[in-house]
Amino acid sequence: MSKKTSSVRMIPAKAKKSRITDKSSKDKKRIGVYVRVSTDSAEQEKSYDLQVNYFKELVDKNPDWELVEIFADHGLSGTSTKKRVAFNRMMERCQNKEIDYIITKSISRFARNTLLALQSIRLLKSIGVGVWFQKENIDTLDGKGELFLTILSSMAQEESRSISTNTKWAISKKFQAGDIHMPTTYFLGYDTDESGNVVINDEQAEVVRRIYKEFLAGKGTPTIAKRLSKEGVPTARGNKHWTSYAVYQILNQEKYMGHCLAQKSVTIDFLTKKRVVNKDIEPQYFVKNTHPAIISEDVWNLVQQELKRRRKMRTDPDNKYRQCFSGKSVFSNKLFCAECGRPVLRRRLTSTKNKEKYRFTAWQCRVAAHKDPDFKDCNCRYVWEEELEKGFMKTLYEMKKNKNEVKEDVKKAIEQKALSKKEQARLKELENQLEALNNRASMIAEKETATNDKIYQATLEHLTYEREILETEYEQLSENNEERLFLEKQLDELLKMLDSLGNDSKFRDDIFVKTVEKGVLNNSQIVSFEFKCGISREAEATKKK
């Protein structure tokens, strides 16, 4: 019996129709349409309307389709779904089996983030929901669809990266040219007029000035916030509740002196849009006189010095003077022990007179009062608060009688800080050089048109390096010069305060806050008041029996 030869016949697969155009199913396909535009411009608004009308007409013309909803995100980026409310609602309805197919114009309209696009499409595919990208003619339920989709999504993501790079470059170029954008919607003290100019809101500006004034008068940010909340003063957003941090932000805002520091924060990921504080990531641009000032530069600088002083209380490196700021008394955070150098605390003590107990307020070294867990060896005596006040007022009246002596002592302190003629000339020369470098950088920025020009980048880096070298020397000389100016100004303030003294010997806390840098208490109950103008005076603070 002969063996039959095997025969093989290939049965070709039938060409599959796209499921969205397949009419074999008797049930109508439930269609969801997704449209998106990324900005609120008039041109994009027109594109948005065209997309909506076109797809609505497309679905209505097909008898096998049934429109469920047109999901539209207006003025939102396609690199993230975080704020795309319509997109998220569409995904939710798909998971609830309410939609069979999604139609959208193109991959870039659906998502510019490759990973996001694939994750969303694979999720929809796993529950039997397809996406049809009309421009690319890709059906995600088709076997070949994902390969094309991966390639095209990557291209869309790269396009988004390019747009982000170009946008950042354009913004940076505007900053270099001194062109600053300053929104005032939630900016206490400022409004924008019909011409687009930043103008002062007088009512709100008074709140800002009050905050600066109270802070320099010795009040802490929590105290200022509580008072504003209690009085029902509205915040920039119209709320009646103030926080300590909100007050701090106002005190730290350079725009209140009419200048603007641009690029305080930067976007580090064009996909997630994550922004971080710009700590040496990108250049910053300090532009002067961009808008009207509410606070003078002198007041603003005084506030920064006070903020620095209060921060130092908490961050003293050797932990010797570390303390929390307190505004309960004008003496708080300003008195130190002559024996061990630690801060002096306010205490409520009890004593007996004629067999009757009474309470009084005193100031004593933190270590001697056994309030310092790290140090023990100090036996400095406490002093009565009323004696401190008396001693300070007595010192003021003596200084008033001997104004010429005060002026001479301050003059000696100023001479030690004053720059020599050679240093003054060098400081002026450095100012001119730095100004020339800034002008040159601005001119280059105005002429530059390419985002990745290597010559432009190299020139800018060289200018930045040269400026950093000059700024180091300038800051050293400028610091000494500013200290001299500070001493002169503080002398004027002290003399003005002395002239305001009357015959009443009542303690003047306003003079203490404005003129005294610190006080040092020794074991003999003698306090040395160190004034901000660079001189010191001693006073006795012994309680007479």
Side-chain angles (χ1 to χ4, degrees):
M1 187 175 177
S2 60
K3 189 176 180 181
K4 295 181 179 179
T5 49
S6 300
S7 63
V8 178
R9 181 170 63 91
M10 183 183 72
I11 304 172
K14 291 180 180 179
K16 288 185 178 180
K17 296 179 181 179
S18 173
R19 283 185 57 181
I20 194 167
T21 57
D22 184 10
K23 299 182 180 181
S24 61
S25 175
K26 294 180 181 179
D27 296 328
K28 285 188 175 185
K29 288 185 174 61
R30 297 166 297 176
I31 305 297
V33 174
Y34 181 70
V35 298
R36 177 185 67 80
V37 291
S38 55
T39 70
D40 289 320
S41 67
E43 187 178 338
Q44 292 276 281
E45 180 78 32
K46 187 177 179 180
S47 171
Y48 173 84
D49 293 336
L50 286 172
Q51 286 184 65
V52 171
N53 293 333
Y54 171 77
F55 284 114
K56 189 176 185 303
E57 186 178 345
L58 180 69
V59 175
D60 289 342
K61 282 182 179 179
N62 195 318
D64 298 313
W65 292 352
E66 179 186 345
L67 182 62
V68 177
E69 184 181 348
I70 295 178
F71 302 92
D73 279 317
H74 202 183
L76 294 170
S77 168
T79 56
S80 170
T81 61
K82 193 173 181 181
K83 296 181 181 179
R84 292 163 69 186
V85 178
F87 183 91
N88 293 330
R89 189 174 72 254
M90 178 183 69
M91 294 294 290
E92 185 179 345
R93 294 196 68 175
C94 288
Q95 291 174 18
N96 292 337
K97 307 292 185 183
E98 299 175 25
I99 297 173
D100 298 317
Y101 252 94
I102 296 168
I103 299 176
T104 189
K105 180 182 177 183
S106 65
I107 294 170
S108 63
R109 292 300 90 197
F110 190 76
R112 288 188 183 273
N113 181 331
T114 303
L115 180 61
L116 172 62
L118 294 177
Q119 282 179 342
S120 301
I121 288 163
R122 285 169 181 164
L123 173 62
L124 293 170
K125 192 174 180 179
S126 69
I127 58 177
V129 179
V131 183
W132 181 44
F133 300 100
Q134 189 195 40
K135 181 181 176 182
E136 296 86 2
N137 195 24
I138 293 177
D139 182 351
T140 59
L141 294 184
D142 182 353
K144 298 177 183 178
E146 184 155 338
L147 174 61
F148 289 113
L149 193 65
T150 303
I151 296 169
L152 292 169
S153 293
S154 297
M155 291 172 65
Q157 177 170 318
E158 189 55 38
E159 182 187 356
S160 186
R161 184 197 301 277
S162 177
I163 291 170
S164 176
T165 302
N166 291 340
T167 302
K168 286 174 69 175
W169 177 85
I171 292 171
S172 177
K173 192 168 179 290
K174 287 179 68 178
F175 288 161
Q176 290 172 27
D179 186 359
I180 302 298
H181 174 57
M182 181 178 159
T184 60
T185 308
Y186 300 117
F187 202 130
L188 191 73
Y190 288 108
D191 288 328
T192 303
D193 64 16
E194 295 177 355
S195 302
N197 300 314
V198 176
V199 294
I200 294 175
N201 180 316
D202 293 329
E203 186 178 350
Q204 293 181 354
E206 282 305 311
V207 178
V208 174
R209 294 187 186 102
R210 171 184 170 178
I211 289 171
Y212 274 73
K213 184 178 179 181
E214 291 187 0
F215 183 78
L216 289 176
K219 292 183 175 63
T221 53
T223 303
I224 296 172
K226 285 178 183 177
R227 289 194 176 190
L228 292 171
S229 298
K230 188 176 180 181
E231 295 175 18
V233 177
T235 65
R237 292 180 177 269
N239 303 324
K240 299 297 175 68
H241 176 68
W242 286 77
T243 63
S244 174
Y245 183 64
V247 173
Y248 170 78
Q249 285 184 308
I250 289 172
L251 293 169
N252 204 40
Q253 178 57 263
E254 83 289 338
K255 291 183 179 68
Y256 286 120
M257 59 172 173
H259 310 325
C260 182
L261 178 63
Q263 208 152 263
K264 292 179 183 177
S265 62
V266 290
T267 302
I268 58 173
D269 190 327
F270 76 97
L271 293 176
T272 63
K273 306 296 182 185
K274 182 179 179 181
R275 291 189 70 81
V276 297
V277 176
N278 186 9
K279 292 183 177 179
D280 299 322
I281 301 172
E282 298 285 349
Q284 292 184 321
Y285 305 92
F286 188 74
V287 187
K288 285 193 168 187
N289 305 316
T290 56
H291 56 278
I294 293 176
I295 301 297
S296 69
E297 281 194 46
D298 289 340
V299 171
W300 193 85
N301 288 329
L302 284 173
V303 166
Q304 303 320 300
Q305 290 175 9
E306 181 62 15
L307 283 170
K308 185 178 179 180
R309 185 184 76 84
R310 296 186 190 185
R311 275 196 299 269
K312 191 177 178 182
M313 295 176 189
R314 301 191 301 272
T315 59
D316 184 63
D318 60 7
N319 204 29
K320 186 174 181 180
Y321 302 108
R322 188 169 302 196
Q323 55 186 315
C324 293
F325 176 77
S326 171
K328 291 183 177 179
S329 167
V330 292
F331 296 128
S332 296
N333 309 119
K334 285 203 170 186
L335 299 179
F336 296 87
C337 177
E339 309 301 320
C340 68
R342 270 68 182 184
V344 172
L345 303 178
R346 193 183 198 211
R347 303 185 67 192
R348 287 291 289 169
L349 302 177
T350 305
S351 187
T352 304
K353 186 176 183 179
N354 298 327
K355 298 182 180 181
E356 290 186 7
K357 289 185 178 181
Y358 64 95
R359 294 178 65 80
F360 63 97
T361 303
W363 291 83
Q364 188 175 19
C365 171
R366 184 168 73 187
V367 178
H370 308 292
K371 302 291 184 180
D372 195 319
D374 301 317
F375 303 97
K376 305 294 180 185
D377 299 327
C378 185
N379 297 309
C380 192
R381 298 159 63 190
Y382 64 79
V383 296
W384 284 53
E385 184 173 86
E386 64 178 75
E387 296 303 323
L388 273 174
E389 294 175 351
K390 290 177 182 177
F392 178 68
M393 293 308 297
K394 185 178 179 181
T395 299
L396 289 182
Y397 283 109
E398 288 177 355
M399 292 171 75
K400 185 176 182 179
K401 290 179 183 178
N402 302 286
K403 279 187 184 179
N404 291 333
E405 183 183 331
V406 171
K407 291 177 183 178
E408 284 299 316
D409 289 347
V410 174
K411 185 179 178 181
K412 291 177 183 177
I414 290 173
E415 287 173 355
Q416 293 177 356
K417 302 292 181 183
L419 298 178
S420 64
K421 289 184 178 180
K422 185 178 179 180
E423 288 174 328
Q424 289 176 10
R426 179 57 180 162
L427 183 63
K428 186 65 179 176
E429 182 184 357
L430 288 169
E431 284 179 357
N432 294 334
Q433 288 178 343
L434 286 168
E435 186 178 357
L437 284 173
N438 289 333
N439 292 337
R440 189 179 170 194
S442 297
M443 287 175 62
I444 291 172
E446 288 175 6
K447 294 178 181 178
E448 184 54 36
T449 57
T451 56
N452 294 310
D453 190 307
K454 291 182 179 179
I455 297 176
Y456 166 73
Q457 292 296 336
T459 305
L460 201 61
E461 286 177 9
H462 174 74
L463 290 176
T464 302
Y465 176 70
E466 190 176 347
R467 184 169 56 191
E468 285 176 354
I469 294 174
L470 294 176
E471 279 180 346
T472 301
E473 184 182 358
Y474 175 79
E475 285 172 3
Q476 291 175 345
L477 291 173
S478 181
E479 187 176 343
N480 288 338
N481 192 50
E482 285 176 4
E483 194 165 348
R484 175 186 65 82
L485 295 172
F486 176 77
L487 293 177
E488 289 176 351
K489 184 175 181 180
Q490 291 303 317
L491 173 61
D492 292 340
E493 184 69 30
L494 176 61
L495 294 175
K496 185 171 72 174
M497 290 291 102
L498 292 176
D499 289 337
S500 71
L501 287 173
N503 296 324
D504 186 5
S505 60
K506 185 180 178 182
F507 179 63
R508 291 281 301 274
D509 56 356
D510 59 325
I511 298 181
F512 185 88
V513 170
K514 289 180 179 179
T515 63
V516 176
E517 182 66 29
K518 69 175 183 178
V520 181
L521 273 62
N522 65 29
N523 203 25
S524 302
Q525 295 182 320
I526 301 295
V527 58
S528 175
F529 295 110
E530 297 183 11
F531 290 85
K532 293 178 180 179
C533 59
I535 63 173
S536 62
R537 293 291 187 270
E538 289 188 348
E540 186 180 353
T542 306
K543 177 68 174 176
K544 301 292 189 295
K545 294 184 178 180

